[in-house]
Amino acid sequence: MIRRKFTGLLLCSAFAMSCAHAESSQTKTITLQDLSTEQSVGHVTVSESDHGLVFTPNLSGLTPGIHGFHVHENPDCGTAVKEGETIIGGAAGSHYDPENTNNHGYPWSEDAHLGDLPALYVAQDGTAATPVLAPRLSLDDIDARALIIHAHGDNYSDTPKPLGGGGKRVACGVIDFDKQSHS
């Protein structure tokens, strides 16, 4: 099963737009906001495919480069206090990990958080439009969660820094399909 999904990941990465459109049975849209300004940075359309979920961003105003991109456990983008430190976007909780793997890893790894997504690429003009594929997720898995963009990249490991080294949370969107009409 992993081999089939990994092959699909490679194919959909190369042809992500056609995966999103040709195989989609349902699509949902998540609006994201900059956590420091509370202004919209755009939206991410999520589509079901034979190979998992395709996340297609239409974002702007972000820092160029590679960013950690994850589904978090709680449908809340508010601040939280953890060990006396205020964390912007902290109310979203940890990466979605229903199997309690306690392991950050590749999106196709069976022994990693289910909410680990491929890194988000942001172009020099601050826009993100390159789709990513999450081969182990379905729409049911991500409903009533949050989608987070982190300040830094993601090495898909807990070393040398925890959670891929993504750092602070810079953008967030609550995933609530009950508020959307079914498409």
Side-chain angles (χ1 to χ4, degrees), residues 97-160:
D97 189 19
E99 300 297 323
N100 296 312
T101 66
N102 297 313
N103 185 44
H104 182 69
Y106 292 101
W108 55 86
S109 298
E110 295 292 328
D111 63 343
H113 304 142
L114 195 56
D116 292 339
L117 301 176
L120 180 71
Y121 171 74
V122 178
Q124 287 301 311
D125 65 359
T127 62
T130 303
V132 299
L133 178 70
R136 298 185 304 140
L137 287 174
S138 70
L139 287 173
D140 288 340
D141 292 324
I142 67 169
D143 192 19
R145 311 251 173 251
L147 186 62
I148 297 277
I149 299 171
H150 292 269
H152 305 292
D154 189 342
N155 71 356
Y156 307 109
S157 174
D158 283 317
T159 58

